[in-house]
Amino acid sequence: NIPRTIWVILEGNLVDRCSPGDDIRVSGTLIRRWKKVQTGSRPDVTWSILANDIAVQNKERGRNFRHSL
């Protein structure tokens, strides 16, 4: 299954470079995040991206605004 959404983890200077609802392009490392395991059920995993580069694509902020760590 391909997820419809994916969590993106921003750290350091990347945190203030975008806002909720922005269209962004992200480069980073794909990581697994295990959900809490319950007795008698299968382990469940979600995927996240640990960002190391972000480019905001919104016209309001200027096309291809880019910031790297």
Side-chain angles (χ1 to χ4, degrees), residues 27-46:
S27 296
T29 304
L30 185 64
I31 60 172
R32 289 180 294 215
R33 298 183 67 192
W34 294 95
K35 292 184 178 179
K36 193 173 192 175
V37 178
Q38 297 179 359
T39 305
S41 65
R42 294 176 54 180
D44 194 16
V45 66
T46 59

Side-chain angles (χ1 to χ4, degrees), residues 11-64:
E11 296 180 330
N13 294 334
L14 295 178
V15 173
D16 296 327
R17 299 298 175 186
C18 63
S19 301
D22 283 347
D23 294 324
I24 60 172
R25 185 171 7 129
V26 177
S27 296
T29 304
L30 185 64
I31 60 172
R32 289 180 294 215
R33 298 183 67 192
W34 294 95
K35 292 184 178 179
K36 193 173 192 175
V37 178
Q38 297 179 359
T39 305
S41 65
R42 294 176 54 180
D44 194 16
V45 66
T46 59
W47 295 95
S48 301
I49 297 175
L50 181 56
N52 59 22
D53 183 59
I54 188 169
V56 177
Q57 300 294 303
N58 293 351
K59 291 180 183 176
E60 300 84 28
R61 288 202 173 178
R63 194 85 174 142
N64 293 326

